[in-house]
Amino acid sequence: MLGTALGIDEEEVKSLFEEGVQSMRMNYYPPCPQPDKVMGINPHSDATGLTILLQVNEIEGLQIKKDGIWIPILPLPGAFVVNIGDIFEIFSNGIYKSIEHRSVVSSEKERISIATFHNSRLDGELGPANSLINAHNPPKFKKIGLAEFYEGYVTHEPLGRSYVDIMRIN
Ligand SMILES: O=C(O)CCC(=O)C(=O)O
Ligand SMILES: [Fe+2]
């Protein structure tokens, strides 16, 4: 697997990410007396190449879905969480999977997180890296214009990893 991943041509990585757009979101989750009745952020996967996340005040809340089960990601002092996004899943032809995640709230404590999104360029095409594709490794995702991809991402209803699944070749 890793051998295949290392086979991505550097120029292809550069042409997708060199002019990439970075953005940041600061999330503030106030305490809620009925935390079971609300969701901090609904289940989604990020559109990004990579997301680097800091759980600023080290309060639990982030969860990832693994084998159908929600697993809490306990904050480690000073540590970042690095998440793979949909663009990296598509570009790596599914070798790396974007991660479905959500955040829940606490009844007593406020929580703050900062997510930095490392995106691709905004124009051109997105699809599996050409250097990964051959007769034994056919493309697992369709090609899509990046403008269309980002527009679709922000307008679709966030439902887990449903957006990346639209691009999948069955
Ligand atoms: O608050 C968190 O830990 C997650 C935030 C998140 O998933 C996002 O901003 O995309
Ligand atoms: Fe996220």
Side-chain angles (χ1 to χ4, degrees):
M1 272 308 211
L2 199 56
T4 323
L6 291 173
I8 298 184
D9 175 39
E10 193 181 326
E11 292 308 315
E12 273 197 277
V13 179
K14 279 192 191 156
S15 77
L16 187 59
F17 290 105
E18 207 162 44
E19 303 289 319
V21 172
Q22 300 183 340
S23 59
M24 180 186 274
R25 175 156 63 212
M26 296 188 191
N27 300 298
Y28 175 73
Y29 307 95
C32 174
Q34 294 181 296
D36 298 343
K37 297 205 168 138
V38 297
M39 190 52 67
I41 290 192
N42 278 334
H44 66 282
S45 53
D46 297 338
T48 53
L50 292 176
T51 300
I52 302 178
L53 181 97
L54 184 64
Q55 308 199 66
V56 178
N57 58 343
E58 291 164 18
I59 303 293
E60 202 180 319
L62 174 65
Q63 300 181 337
I64 62 161
K65 201 172 202 180
K66 187 164 187 285
D67 303 327
I69 295 168
W70 287 108
I71 301 186
I73 303 299
L74 304 183
L76 295 174
F80 292 110
V81 175
V82 180
N83 280 337
I84 288 167
D86 295 342
I87 288 187
F88 204 61
E89 172 159 352
I90 293 168
F91 184 60
S92 72
N93 202 28
I95 292 173
Y96 294 94
K97 305 257 184 307
S98 69
I99 187 78
E100 183 174 351
H101 56 285
R102 68 179 186 182
S103 56
V104 297
V105 298
S106 141
S107 58
E108 280 143 36
K109 295 178 182 141
E110 61 180 13
R111 176 170 181 270
I112 299 167
S113 70
I114 300 179
T116 54
F117 303 111
H118 300 264
N119 290 303
S120 65
R121 60 188 305 146
L122 301 180
D123 59 345
E125 272 208 324
L126 172 65
N130 289 325
S131 45
L132 287 179
I133 302 304
N134 56 45
H136 304 291
N137 291 301
K140 296 198 171 103
F141 298 91
K142 296 171 217 160
K143 282 197 169 158
I144 182 172
L146 276 159
E148 195 189 332
F149 173 86
Y150 282 111
E151 193 185 325
Y153 182 86
V154 294
T155 53
H156 91 296
E157 199 179 335
L159 273 177
R161 282 169 26 89
S162 59
Y163 190 58
V164 73
D165 285 339
I166 295 171
M167 250 69 71
R168 204 175 294 280
I169 297 170
N170 296 312

